[in-house]
Amino acid sequence: MTHQVRELSIPGAWEFTPTRFHDERGVFAETYRSSAFEKVAGRPFELCQINSSMSAAGVLRGIHYTENPPGQAKYVTCVRGALLDVVVDLRPGSPTYGQWDSVLLDDVHRRSVYLAEGMGHAILSLEDDSTVLYLCSREYDPALEREIDALDPDLAIAWPTRGRDGRPLELRRSAKDAAAPGWRDR
């Protein structure tokens, strides 16, 4: 099995697009292979926890991150629907500190995104019932969880205003995400 791999504009973040095999039964795609990942990342991905979430169109989750160190790396895949996945570089001293990049994850192309420790993460659901899986390198620890306001103008993330079907999106966030500090206040 092969993947097309593209490093995002933020070093330490990659997009993986698997080869898809279609026949009369449907589609098969290999979402993750450790040897292919290690070749790109130069290290293994230690899987400690798997999370999933399902979101209605317009649900914006994040920007979430884990205090670094220890940090938490993630390998994210959309198994149903479509969403915009945004990675924000929060590593002081990084040449791309404070910058973001995004990838469209959906159930058509089956792309995945890897983000290393020290990066923030957000997703915007582009259709109802969009479902995402997060493979995590550390178990969740609420004492280390942090967030940044995903709508902070200092980050200037270009969030889509229309869903996959072309209808306008009405953004919905949790109270916690809506109250998150801005980029400069974190």
Side-chain angles (χ1 to χ4, degrees):
M1 302 289 166
T2 59
H3 286 86
Q4 291 180 329
V5 179
R6 178 180 70 90
E7 187 169 21
L8 301 185
S9 62
I10 299 171
W14 289 276
E15 169 191 281
F16 292 84
T17 304
T19 301
R20 293 165 292 158
F21 299 92
H22 302 264
D23 65 22
E24 67 280 353
R25 300 168 297 159
V27 179
F28 174 84
E30 184 178 272
T31 304
Y32 175 82
R33 180 181 282 212
S34 63
S35 60
F37 175 83
E38 288 179 32
K39 184 177 179 181
V40 171
R43 65 181 187 148
F45 182 80
E46 182 178 349
L47 178 61
C48 292
Q49 183 171 320
I50 300 174
N51 302 327
S52 68
S53 68
M54 183 174 68
S55 301
V59 169
L60 176 57
R61 298 179 186 268
I63 300 168
H64 301 145
Y65 65 102
T66 301
E67 190 66 35
N68 192 33
Q72 182 187 60
K74 295 178 183 172
Y75 191 91
V76 184
T77 302
C78 178
V79 295
R80 179 179 181 186
L83 52 96
L84 186 72
D85 189 293
V86 173
V87 177
V88 181
D89 192 348
L90 304 175
R91 302 167 297 178
S94 168
T96 55
Y97 180 70
Q99 295 178 27
W100 62 272
D101 201 349
S102 65
V103 174
L104 175 65
L105 299 182
D106 63 19
D107 54 12
V108 175
H109 296 99
R110 307 283 181 187
R111 291 181 188 101
S112 298
V113 169
Y114 170 77
L115 54 144
E117 297 86 346
M119 295 184 193
H121 184 248
I123 58 170
L124 173 61
S125 178
L126 302 175
E127 74 177 40
D128 286 338
D129 301 326
S130 291
T131 304
V132 65
L133 287 177
Y134 303 79
L135 284 62
C136 303
S137 67
R138 292 188 55 85
E139 292 182 5
Y140 173 73
D141 182 345
L144 299 174
E145 181 183 15
R146 305 289 185 269
E147 54 275 327
I148 298 171
D149 182 359
L151 301 179
D152 187 320
D154 287 334
L155 290 174
I157 296 172
W159 295 109
T161 58
R162 298 201 172 270
R164 183 151 82 165
D165 62 4
R167 289 189 287 183
L169 289 174
E170 182 179 327
L171 292 185
R172 292 186 276 170
R173 301 192 291 166
S174 70
K176 181 179 174 186
D177 285 350
W183 170 252
R184 295 179 191 191
D185 301 324
R186 60 184 182 92

